[in-house]
Amino acid sequence: MFSTSSGAPSNTSLRNPRRRQRTGSDDSVAVRQLPKRLKRSALTSETFKSIQHSSADGEPCHREVKPSINGFEQAAGKRSPEDRESASLTIRNRGATRLEREKRAPRSDGSVELTKNDTYSVTRLATTPAQFQTHQGSLRWHGSLAPSIGYAVATTPTEALVWRYKHGLNPTDSSKPLVVRLVHASSNANHPLPLALLVPSSPEPGLLVVTPVSGKVTYWETLSSAASVDLSRQKQQAIQGTITGLASGEHVTKMIEAEPQGFLLTISSGKIVHLSIADAQGKASISAQMLRNTGTRPGGIFGSLRNVLGGGGWPRDIAAVKAGTSLHRGQRECIFGTTRGVLQAWELNWNGAHSLRYEVDARPKLLESIRDIGIVPRSSEDQFLGVLDFAFLSITSTGRKLATPARVSETRLLVLTVTSETNSARYNLHVVNIANGAVDIPVVHPISCYRTPISPGAAFKPTLLVPEQGQTAYVVFEKSLVLVSLEEIPDSPDLQLQTETSRTPDPFQDVVDFRKDKGFLVVGCGVDIPDRGLNGSACTVMVHGYGLIRVSVSPLAEGLTPSDRAAITAEAKLEQAVFYGSQQSLLDFSARLEIRFATEDVEEAAVRISRSITSSSSKHLSTAGPSMDQHLQRRATALADLIRHLRKHYQPINPKFRWELLWEAEKMAAARAIWRCYSETYASKPKEEKILLYELVECISEQDKTENQPDDHETDCVRHWLIHDVWRLEILLPWATKALTVLYDESVEDNKPMTSAYRARLISEAHDIQLAALETAYSFRQDNASLYGLDENTMVDGVLSQSYDGMPEIWTSTGYICQAVQQLAEYFQEFVTELDSHNSSDEEGSSPPQQLLEKIAQSNSRLVDISCKIHIERCRLLQASNNPDIQKHGQDLERVSKVSRRELLKGLVNIGLYLPAIKLGEKYNDMEALAEVLESEIQTSQEDLRNNVMAGEETDEIRAKIALCEGFVDKYFNKYGASWADAFFTRFVAQGRVSQLLMHGPKQRGHMTSFFRSHPECAAFSWINEVAVEGDFATAADDLRRAQKQAITLWAKKMQLSMSKLATMAAVAKQQKDDNEASSMIQGIDSQMEVLDAQDQLYRYLKPTMRRALNDTPAKVDVVMEQYFKRFVKAKKALRSAMRINVKKIVEEAVLDAEDLVDTISLMDEDGLDPTDEFAARRFLTAIRLARLSSLETGEIAKRDLLEKFIWRRCIIQDNWPMINRTEMKDDAQVEAETGATALFMTLKEGFKSGFWDDHPPPEPSALLNAGTSVESLRASSRYDVASDSALEIIANDLEIEDSMLGTCIKEGRLSQWWNAIIDAARISAKKEADQSGEAQSRRQEAEREIRNQMIRDDEAAWGVQNANEAASEVDDEGDVMMGM
């Protein structure tokens, strides 16, 4: 400090302190002796009483301020007693001991935490006066802090506000703010605000005020003097003076403390004024002088001081003035820096003497340092670089270690610079070493997190604060604060490489922004002096319109290094926005362009934060509190804030992560609904009964929940689950169903069966839990889809209708939940049925109250709705999978769930809720369920009426119900159209009530006709509607043709074909069908009838054999197989099995298709046949005709050719051709007889007799070889398309046996040589029989004619010639009597 032993300098203009001082002098500095010190007032109970109380939201409440016109409190003369009392500010305070500081709770002073992360925290100090916290129109403030004593002062043009802000003091030590009326108040609103500093002194600080434009200086030695409410006394106690030498337009811009009794003032023109408030004897006195060149230092590298400070004048671009440490007793070093990078070091003496130690131009080095790290290009020579501020560093610090005392011969500074760019700026912190006139910059800290340019009209200039520990630098802007870590990073190879380029990695940087829309402005700031024994660094910022905030950087935890928190993470930024964004109005957590994160990092961080909220694992959440509902609401609000912040600042977010965030929020909303149900149940339950939620939480496996900690006195498992396990809600919900079974089984094991009333209450609670969770979740999803960036238009009642691709399993529709919800719905419906069956046996009082049952029934309808919804959601999700197995599972589940839905709706009807069942059927467009519900309800009601066992009122109710249901039926025809008609009519068909169905024809003509025409399976009776209602014979014919394909019995098929032929002929007559088309249809019908006639012939042929068996189908099959299918199929596995199936159908008169009929006819043994029977003689020709007829319908030539080869081959191998070929010792007659008895000869002869071979000549035997003996040859026929290769191999093996037998006939029986001769012989035999048959027919016709003529002669004799002539006219040309002419 200044020493009083030295004489005053020659240029000091001070009066003799022993002389009586004059007041109102016009001298350069007017000084007044203090009057006799007044007696201080005694302390009162109000002295230490806090004037602030915490409101509900945590914001401090202050006493009401009565504003006057200028926005300040009333004038001293007009103040109320309360106001006057509040103007007293007691200063004395003994301070807190170390023991007291250790016992303090966090923020026990009432401060509010605005944000916090692992590196720093921001708190609002509760000691800020209300006047400074609120905006008062256009009122401006200027502030300064005195960290060493914990005081703050803020000035307006007319007043100064002084208060104690030190947050470490106990609340009981807080004093009321002091409002000081300024002696030299400015009346010009455009003038700069008065500058005020608090002067540390004992026993209480003083107040120094400088009016910038006039240069008036006012100093009160104590705040008690300044606090005097008597204005005249206040002026008398003030020491006043004036700064001389201010030119026009000049004003004081800044004032800093240079000694306990000395100050440095910066003038707008660049001049520096040394202000002293004590004379040589230490008495209060004001003196001020400009720092000028005294000529005491010779020239040299700096030149003469005359050149520096003389004629050229002071530079106008002073960036900062800083007072350094004391060099010697009575001396102090001060550093002046210009915006151009010129640094001057001055020595100041207590007596006013001053001298320039050195001057350096650091700008070249500063530019070079940022060029080395790539901030500006090296080619840029005119790059603007401005110095904004600087601060002292310890001489051993590189900006990364704790401060240590500096050496006099070297100065180390931390310099804040800016380089301007288009619409942005780059800020840097340079460690500048000055020694022996040389500048060295070993380290540069680029500020990468903040690039906002300085506003030209900003009243507050950027300020650099470096706490004594030197760990962190704070750069304070008017609306932001930047934190830059200066801690040392441990050595590593990477660090050494970076050090060579003068750029080391910055461990930590971040920005604290103030909200731009609130008008918050920084008006002052200062470095905090930590309490003894506390680590870390902090600064306090005065924010006009809000108050004082403290930014504290936490020290590194033990075992961590600066690299462990090297950069702010996406998770930390999101946590700040989520947990603090909505709780205060000062900080703006909007994402800055300078601080960007990879989208993947943001998404993963968001999911982690969301999970930390639902599990309460976040350090920002409390896990205890009196209100669980409020706790859940706070967590839900945090989740909402998270997605809002993401959507606003971090677009786009992958839909997968948005869904995950939405699901977590759904669970939180659902948990809150569950808690409310639990609270209501707890309030109404009997004391001796259990609560289901409590029991099911206990039932959950330890692996699926967070266990209670009894050692920590955690005994409430329900609250514990809601705090820690909401994110596992999908595990809890299934237990709402399982717990019912568990509790019931336990009661049976304990031989204390549950009463029905108790079971009903548990079932009710289970319904409440599942409904509260799932209904709330789906409602939340629908209402908040747009908030999460999802299209709510693709949702119906919270269920997506599309876009399931790539989506993970949805928690509301897991397999367990789907099963549990359905089972619970069924459980109650079965419970009601059980109650009805045991109602008479229940003890009195054990039956559930009717009101409870009605309540559960209504809940059950809602639960059925939820069950339908979650099954739809799960089916859609599974079917959208890329895995075919999962897709199939989804399709199977959809079919099963539809059946289950109908059963649940039927269950609702059974418990009397047919109207809710109908509404749910309408909701899910389940026409089948609606048809079943309505039709069954109508039938049941009609049955009740027929039984006539009810009273008249009940009968009326049933009739009304029937009318209502029939009204629904009629309404649905108009509302749903074909879909309803299809479901409604299908139910009649399924129940075989076709006659009742056809009765709806006239009433619902269009719907029924459409139904029949769209359902070919109804063709067997749909033709009736076509004929009777529509009169459409053509469609009726088509229906009958379709119906015959579905016919099972031979008789039904022949009848439907015959009726189809009649309908076709009627359609031609009605001109509903074209003649050609009708002719083609009739031809096809005739072909099919021929196939049926062939099967009928076979049946009649086999019928005598079947009579030998019992009236039993298997026995008849055995007899036929034994009689006719031994030789050719006994050793052939495939053919034998096929023949047994075919014979069974023949026995049952079921329809065989043409191919099976051909195989049956062609594989019969010749030995068992009657050679004289026409069917036996013509069977192979019949088979060939059937093969031809089957090809007419399908048009498949390959299938026909293969089938015909089978027939010819089987025809040939029926006889022993090698034996026939051995003609030795045989005459022609015997050979002809043996040949004529063969199946081949008879088949050829029958073909020639009918002329069949004229169009279809028989094939050569060699052409039949290898037919069907391989899988490839069988595949040529569509008949074997669906058969597997293994099955075809068996068939081919059987056919190969046939082929081998044919080969023997050709080779050993020389069939190829005999072939033409056999054909000729068959042709001759056929012709001979035809001739013989013709002669016999002629004789028959002659006999018939003779008989007819005799009848005519007899009639003539009896009735006369005329009648005989008339009768003769009624006989046609063929001799038939014509009836009805």
Side-chain angles (χ1 to χ4, degrees):
M1 61 168 39
F2 291 123
S3 174
T4 58
S5 61
S6 302
S10 59
N11 60 347
T12 303
S13 174
L14 292 176
R15 297 183 181 273
N16 188 341
R18 288 178 292 182
R19 294 180 58 185
R20 178 176 172 272
Q21 304 296 317
R22 292 179 296 176
T23 61
S25 173
D26 292 332
D27 294 342
S28 63
V29 178
V31 185
R32 178 176 58 82
Q33 188 78 17
L34 280 174
K36 184 177 180 181
R37 192 178 301 275
L38 298 177
K39 184 177 180 181
R40 305 266 174 90
S41 60
L43 297 177
T44 66
S45 62
E46 293 295 320
T47 302
F48 299 104
K49 184 179 294 185
S50 174
I51 64 171
Q52 304 178 18
H53 303 280
S54 294
S55 63
D57 58 357
E59 298 289 341
C61 299
H62 301 274
R63 63 178 174 81
E64 181 182 359
V65 179
K66 301 177 181 179
S68 61
I69 296 177
N70 62 1
F72 284 89
E73 291 184 338
Q74 299 174 357
K78 300 181 180 180
R79 292 177 181 170
S80 63
E82 294 83 357
D83 293 334
R84 286 194 299 270
E85 182 179 353
S86 67
S88 175
L89 182 67
T90 302
I91 307 302
R92 294 183 180 90
N93 181 30
R94 65 180 177 84
T97 65
R98 179 177 180 180
L99 181 60
E100 290 173 339
R101 287 195 301 269
E102 292 176 351
K103 291 182 179 181
R104 290 173 187 157
R107 298 189 301 278
S108 60
D109 56 354
S111 60
V112 178
E113 192 172 74
L114 303 182
T115 186
K116 184 178 181 180
N117 56 32
D118 294 337
T119 303
Y120 67 90
S121 63
V122 181
T123 55
R124 178 183 186 178
L125 304 185
T127 53
T128 309
Q131 300 96 312
F132 189 74
Q133 290 182 19
T134 57
H135 290 285
Q136 301 179 12
S138 59
L139 184 64
R140 298 175 298 144
W141 290 87
H142 180 277
S144 66
L145 300 170
S148 60
I149 55 176
Y151 277 82
V153 57
T155 58
T156 68
T158 58
E159 293 180 335
L161 187 68
V162 184
W163 72 95
R164 185 167 52 215
Y165 75 88
K166 189 69 171 180
H167 77 288
L169 300 174
N170 289 329
T172 55
D173 292 340
S174 300
S175 300
K176 299 178 180 179
L178 171 66
V179 178
V180 178
R181 177 74 63 177
L182 299 182
V183 175
H184 302 290
S186 174
S187 59
N188 191 331
N190 294 325
H191 283 179
L193 292 173
L195 306 178
L197 284 179
L198 290 164
V199 181
S201 61
S202 180
E204 58 182 279
L207 177 63
L208 175 66
V209 180
V210 175
T211 306
V213 176
S214 64
K216 299 293 185 180
V217 181
T218 306
Y219 171 59
W220 289 277
E221 287 187 281
T222 62
L223 290 178
S224 300
S225 303
S228 176
V229 296
D230 188 343
L231 294 181
S232 60
R233 178 175 297 179
Q234 181 196 30
K235 290 184 179 180
Q236 291 176 359
Q237 293 178 342
I239 297 94
Q240 303 182 47
T242 303
I243 301 173
T244 58
L246 291 179
S248 176
E250 291 183 334
H251 63 275
V252 180
T253 59
K254 192 171 184 180
M255 176 170 58
I256 67 168
E257 181 184 358
E259 272 289 341
Q261 303 296 323
F263 303 88
L264 291 175
L265 280 63
T266 304
I267 311 301
S268 58
S269 61
K271 300 176 183 177
I272 305 297
V273 174
H274 183 201
L275 177 68
S276 178
I277 57 174
D279 60 12
Q281 285 73 35
K283 295 182 179 180
S285 174
I286 293 178
S287 62
Q289 58 179 324
M290 300 286 182
L291 296 188
R292 303 177 184 277
N293 178 18
T294 60
T296 58
R297 188 175 295 272
I301 63 170
F302 301 115
S304 66
L305 286 178
R306 184 180 303 275
N307 295 330
V308 176
L309 302 174
W314 281 90
R316 302 182 62 87
D317 58 351
I318 295 293
V321 177
K322 303 289 182 178
T325 57
S326 295
L327 301 176
H328 304 287
R329 179 177 178 82
Q331 294 182 349
R332 189 162 189 168
E333 180 187 47
C334 294
I335 303 292
F336 308 155
T338 69
T339 58
R340 300 289 296 176
V342 176
L343 300 173
Q344 294 181 349
W346 289 74
E347 288 184 4
L348 302 182
N349 198 284
W350 68 270
N351 58 9
H354 50 266
S355 61
L356 178 66
R357 290 183 58 219
Y358 59 81
E359 174 185 291
V360 294
D361 185 1
R363 184 174 184 276
K365 288 289 186 178
L366 294 173
L367 273 174
E368 181 182 357
S369 64
I370 61 176
R371 285 172 180 159
D372 290 342
I373 60 175
I375 298 297
V376 297
R378 289 188 172 275
S379 59
S380 177
E381 296 294 338
D382 299 328
Q383 176 68 41
F384 171 77
L385 179 141
V387 175
L388 299 177
D389 199 5
F390 63 88
F392 285 97
L393 287 178
S394 66
I395 205 67
T396 60
S397 173
T398 63
R400 300 179 182 275
K401 294 182 178 179
L402 298 180
T404 55
R407 298 189 299 272
V408 177
S409 61
E410 184 177 348
T411 302
R412 174 158 293 183
L413 305 175
L414 187 64
V415 179
L416 172 65
T417 65
V418 60
T419 55
S420 299
E421 298 179 357
T422 304
N423 299 325
S424 66
R426 287 182 177 269
Y427 301 94
N428 301 281
L429 293 176
H430 307 254
V431 176
V432 178
N433 294 332
I434 305 174
N436 301 322
V439 176
D440 179 44
I441 302 179
V443 178
V444 178
H445 300 277
I447 299 178
S448 57
C449 61
Y450 186 84
R451 298 187 63 179
T452 304
I454 302 170
S455 175
F460 182 83
K461 303 302 180 183
T463 302
L464 175 62
L465 303 176
V466 180
E468 181 181 355
Q469 292 86 347
Q471 296 172 341
T472 307
Y474 303 90
V475 182
V476 185
F477 296 88
E478 189 174 44
K479 296 182 179 180
S480 302
L481 184 144
V482 178
L483 298 89
V484 180
S485 175
L486 303 178
E487 292 178 298
E488 184 178 11
I489 296 179
D491 290 336
S492 67
D494 292 339
L495 180 63
Q496 294 175 2
L497 292 175
Q498 293 171 340
T499 305
E500 294 176 0
T501 61
S502 301
R503 180 177 182 177
T504 57
D506 295 304
F508 179 84
Q509 291 185 12
D510 198 10
V511 183
V512 178
D513 284 314
F514 304 145
R515 293 183 58 175
K516 308 300 186 296
D517 56 340
K518 296 293 186 178
F520 298 127
L521 298 173
V522 175
V523 297
C525 60
V527 174
D528 272 6
I529 299 177
D531 293 337
R532 249 182 313 175
L534 298 180
N535 296 323
S537 60
C539 71
T540 302
V541 181
M542 304 176 70
V543 183
H544 175 218
Y546 189 81
L548 268 65
I549 63 170
R550 165 166 294 183
V551 183
S552 305
V553 175
S554 306
L556 279 174
E558 185 177 355
L560 297 181
T561 64
S563 59
D564 293 327
R565 59 179 184 187
I568 192 71
T569 63
E571 185 171 355
K573 297 300 287 185
L574 289 176
E575 284 182 333
Q576 287 180 305
V578 169
F579 295 107
Y580 298 100
S582 60
Q583 299 179 9
Q584 46 81 36
S585 59
L586 173 66
L587 302 185
D588 182 6
F589 295 102
S590 301
R592 297 188 65 88
L593 295 177
E594 302 92 331
I595 305 177
R596 305 306 296 174
F597 305 102
T599 302
E600 295 78 7
D601 294 340
V602 174
E603 292 169 346
E604 293 172 1
V607 171
R608 286 195 300 270
I609 293 173
S610 179
R611 178 57 53 84
S612 72
I613 294 173
T614 54
S615 62
S616 296
S617 59
S618 172
K619 58 180 176 295
H620 302 286
L621 290 174
S622 172
T623 57
S627 174
M628 177 55 62
D629 188 66
Q630 292 182 6
H631 173 77
L632 294 172
Q633 178 59 40
R634 282 194 296 271
R635 292 159 66 189
T637 301
L639 292 173
D641 291 341
L642 173 61
I643 189 59
R644 289 192 185 97
H645 188 74
L646 288 171
R647 291 290 312 284
K648 184 176 181 181
H649 301 290
Y650 294 99
Q651 291 280 38
I653 300 297
N654 189 298
K656 173 189 174 184
F657 290 96
R658 280 183 274 139
W659 273 111
E660 291 186 20
L661 296 177
L662 174 58
W663 292 337
E664 295 290 315
E666 290 171 5
K667 292 178 182 179
M668 188 57 61
R672 194 178 181 199
I674 291 175
W675 170 254
R676 290 175 177 174
C677 290
Y678 174 79
S679 300
E680 293 173 1
T681 302
Y682 185 83
S684 60
K685 81 170 186 70
K687 292 184 179 179
E688 66 278 4
E689 292 185 358
K690 300 177 181 179
I691 296 182
L692 182 64
L693 181 61
Y694 183 92
E695 296 299 324
L696 67 89
V697 170
E698 288 290 333
C699 289
I700 297 176
S701 171
E702 295 180 359
Q703 291 81 9
D704 296 327
K705 66 181 178 182
T706 304
E707 279 295 306
N708 280 2
Q709 301 296 327
D711 295 341
D712 297 335
H713 307 287
E714 292 180 349
T715 58
D716 190 338
C717 67
V718 174
R719 281 182 169 85
H720 188 271
W721 187 92
L722 290 170
I723 292 173
H724 298 286
D725 294 309
V726 169
W727 63 280
R728 291 191 275 207
L729 181 58
E730 65 272 17
I731 297 176
L732 174 80
L733 295 183
W735 274 103
T737 302
K738 296 179 184 177
L740 294 177
T741 305
V742 172
L743 294 176
Y744 184 79
D745 293 342
E746 288 179 353
S747 68
V748 173
E749 291 175 2
D750 297 340
N751 200 21
K752 296 179 181 179
M754 290 184 182
T755 63
S756 298
Y758 183 34
R759 284 184 66 191
R761 194 180 67 75
L762 292 178
I763 294 173
S764 176
E765 291 182 33
H767 276 67
D768 292 342
I769 291 171
Q770 291 189 351
L771 286 172
L774 295 173
E775 284 184 340
T776 302
Y778 280 110
S779 177
F780 184 93
R781 185 181 303 169
Q782 184 70 47
D783 296 340
N784 294 274
S786 58
L787 175 62
Y788 285 79
L790 306 171
D791 187 3
E792 69 273 16
N793 296 324
T794 62
M795 290 186 186
V796 178
D797 203 13
V799 178
L800 269 179
S801 56
Q802 57 187 6
S803 303
Y804 284 89
D805 297 341
M807 185 178 293
E809 186 177 42
I810 304 174
W811 77 272
T812 49
S813 56
T814 65
Y816 289 118
I817 288 181
C818 289
Q819 184 180 12
V821 172
Q822 179 180 329
Q823 288 177 348
L824 180 58
E826 294 170 345
Y827 189 89
F828 172 70
Q829 294 173 0
E830 295 170 358
F831 175 71
V832 173
T833 304
E834 181 183 339
L835 281 179
D836 293 339
S837 61
H838 297 85
N839 192 28
S840 59
S841 62
D842 285 345
E843 298 180 1
E844 183 177 356
S846 63
S847 298
Q850 186 64 28
Q851 183 179 4
L852 177 60
L853 291 177
E854 292 176 356
K855 181 257 182 186
I856 304 174
Q858 296 300 323
S859 298
N860 191 258
S861 67
R862 292 161 54 200
L863 196 66
V864 171
D865 182 17
I866 288 294
S867 178
C868 298
K869 187 183 302 184
I870 60 180
H871 275 90
I872 290 174
E873 183 176 73
R874 182 161 185 82
C875 291
R876 289 174 179 173
L877 177 66
L878 296 177
Q879 292 172 12
S881 172
N882 295 325
N883 189 323
D885 294 336
I886 297 178
Q887 289 181 3
K888 185 178 182 304
H889 177 56
Q891 295 166 359
D892 295 340
L893 180 61
E894 184 177 16
R895 287 191 294 270
V896 173
S897 64
K898 286 182 179 179
V899 176
S900 301
R901 178 168 63 199
R902 292 165 198 160
E903 293 299 321
L904 289 174
L905 294 184
K906 285 172 58 178
L908 290 178
V909 175
N910 294 336
I911 63 177
L913 298 178
Y914 73 96
L915 286 178
I918 291 172
K919 290 181 179 179
L920 289 176
E922 291 179 354
K923 178 177 181 180
Y924 294 104
N925 289 318
D926 194 336
M927 300 298 105
E928 291 81 3
L930 280 175
E932 187 171 357
V933 169
L934 289 171
E935 194 271 335
S936 63
E937 194 68 15
I938 291 173
Q939 277 194 334
T940 302
S941 300
Q942 290 175 344
E943 184 68 23
D944 292 341
L945 286 178
R946 284 193 294 270
N947 293 336
N948 196 21
V949 295
M950 294 162 291
E953 293 182 359
E954 294 179 353
T955 301
D956 294 339
E957 290 179 0
I958 291 179
R959 287 196 178 99
K961 182 192 292 185
I962 294 174
L964 178 62
C965 292
E966 289 178 344
F968 278 120
V969 171
D970 295 337
K971 182 182 73 171
Y972 292 159
F973 278 110
N974 297 326
K975 182 176 181 180
Y976 298 112
S979 60
W980 165 248
D982 183 83
F984 187 67
F985 294 145
T986 298
R987 182 162 177 79
F988 282 87
V989 174
Q991 294 179 345
R993 296 187 292 136
V994 178
S995 60
Q996 296 181 34
L997 171 63
L998 294 173
M999 292 174 60
H1000 286 271
K1003 186 176 181 181
Q1004 302 294 343
R1005 174 178 176 179
H1007 290 298
M1008 180 168 289
T1009 300
S1010 298
F1011 167 76
F1012 282 136
R1013 290 179 178 177
S1014 61
H1015 288 74
E1017 67 274 10
C1018 300
F1021 46 84
S1022 63
W1023 64 273
I1024 301 175
N1025 179 74
E1026 297 294 346
V1027 173
V1029 178
E1030 299 295 336
D1032 189 343
F1033 293 92
T1035 305
D1038 295 337
D1039 287 345
L1040 286 164
R1041 283 194 306 109
R1042 284 194 296 268
Q1044 62 86 21
K1045 295 179 181 179
Q1046 305 165 10
I1048 299 175
T1049 64
L1050 191 63
W1051 175 88
K1053 191 176 184 72
K1054 293 177 70 173
M1055 182 272 296
Q1056 288 165 344
L1057 282 171
S1058 299
M1059 295 185 67
S1060 175
K1061 185 175 181 179
L1062 289 174
T1064 303
M1065 297 171 65
V1068 173
K1070 292 283 187 179
Q1071 296 183 347
Q1072 295 174 353
K1073 249 187 202 311
D1074 180 76
D1075 289 344
N1076 295 330
E1077 182 184 0
S1079 177
S1080 176
M1081 290 178 61
I1082 291 174
Q1083 183 181 357
I1085 292 173
D1086 291 341
S1087 298
Q1088 290 179 285
M1089 289 295 289
E1090 186 175 349
V1091 176
L1092 297 177
D1093 289 340
Q1095 182 176 346
D1096 193 36
Q1097 291 176 23
L1098 177 60
Y1099 176 79
R1100 289 197 303 270
Y1101 183 81
L1102 299 176
K1103 192 172 183 179
T1105 304
M1106 290 188 285
R1107 287 181 182 151
R1108 299 203 305 263
L1110 298 174
N1111 191 18
D1112 180 64
T1113 298
K1116 292 179 180 180
V1117 172
D1118 291 340
V1119 170
V1120 172
M1121 290 293 294
E1122 181 66 23
Q1123 178 72 24
Y1124 300 104
F1125 297 95
K1126 293 187 299 181
R1127 179 182 171 194
F1128 291 104
V1129 301
K1130 187 174 183 180
K1132 301 169 184 175
K1133 179 179 179 181
L1135 294 178
R1136 185 178 68 252
S1137 175
M1139 286 306 99
R1140 189 168 189 85
I1141 294 172
N1142 293 347
V1143 170
K1144 183 176 182 294
K1145 289 183 179 180
I1146 292 172
V1147 171
E1148 294 174 344
E1149 296 187 75
V1151 177
L1152 277 176
D1153 59 32
E1155 293 85 355
D1156 290 338
L1157 185 58
V1158 166
D1159 282 342
T1160 305
I1161 293 173
S1162 62
L1163 286 172
M1164 295 175 69
D1165 296 341
E1166 189 73 21
D1167 297 340
L1169 297 176
D1170 182 4
T1172 63
D1173 188 90
E1174 183 181 1
F1175 172 77
R1178 295 176 57 87
R1179 64 186 182 106
F1180 285 106
L1181 180 61
T1182 300
I1184 294 172
R1185 287 185 58 81
L1186 293 177
R1188 291 281 174 175
L1189 291 174
S1190 68
S1191 67
L1192 291 177
E1193 187 175 357
T1194 61
E1196 296 184 54
I1197 305 301
K1199 181 171 73 171
R1200 182 199 68 187
D1201 291 344
L1202 185 62
L1203 195 57
E1204 286 187 10
K1205 289 180 179 180
F1206 292 167
I1207 298 170
W1208 282 108
R1209 184 168 63 193
R1210 291 164 183 170
C1211 177
I1212 292 172
I1213 65 175
Q1214 289 288 327
D1215 301 288
N1216 190 351
W1217 285 100
M1219 183 62 67
I1220 295 172
N1221 181 56
R1222 298 181 65 178
T1223 58
E1224 63 273 14
M1225 302 301 292
K1226 296 179 183 177
D1227 57 10
D1228 287 346
Q1230 185 177 355
V1231 173
E1232 288 178 2
E1234 291 178 356
T1235 305
T1238 62
L1240 175 61
F1241 185 86
M1242 287 188 291
T1243 301
L1244 290 171
K1245 183 176 72 173
E1246 292 296 328
F1248 283 123
K1249 287 168 61 176
S1250 62
F1252 186 78
W1253 307 130
D1254 296 342
D1255 297 325
H1256 313 288
E1260 291 285 342
S1262 59
L1264 307 177
L1265 291 172
N1266 300 321
T1269 58
S1270 65
V1271 174
E1272 292 75 14
S1273 61
L1274 290 174
R1275 289 290 186 196
S1277 173
S1278 61
R1279 183 184 181 188
Y1280 304 104
D1281 286 345
V1282 296
S1284 64
D1285 289 346
S1286 59
L1288 290 182
E1289 286 180 2
I1290 298 175
I1291 296 174
N1293 291 335
D1294 290 349
L1295 295 176
E1296 192 173 359
I1297 298 174
E1298 292 181 1
D1299 195 67
S1300 177
M1301 296 171 67
L1302 175 63
T1304 301
C1305 292
I1306 294 173
K1307 183 178 180 180
E1308 297 181 10
R1310 297 195 305 155
L1311 187 59
S1312 297
Q1313 286 81 3
W1314 284 73
W1315 184 253
N1316 291 330
I1318 294 172
I1319 291 177
D1320 291 340
R1323 184 184 296 111
I1324 294 171
S1325 178
K1327 185 176 183 302
K1328 182 177 179 181
E1329 287 189 6
D1331 291 342
Q1332 294 174 353
S1333 176
E1335 291 177 0
Q1337 184 177 5
S1338 296
R1339 288 193 293 270
R1340 278 196 309 271
Q1341 290 177 354
E1342 182 65 27
E1344 290 173 356
R1345 216 170 8 256
E1346 182 62 29
I1347 294 171
R1348 185 172 62 250
N1349 291 334
Q1350 182 62 40
M1351 290 176 63
I1352 293 174
R1353 287 193 294 269
D1354 292 343
D1355 288 340
E1356 288 176 350
W1359 300 98
V1361 177
Q1362 183 178 358
N1363 290 336
N1365 291 335
E1366 291 177 357
S1369 67
E1370 293 175 2
V1371 178
D1372 61 14
D1373 296 337
E1374 296 181 357
D1376 295 330
V1377 178
M1378 300 178 66
M1379 304 298 293
M1381 298 298 291

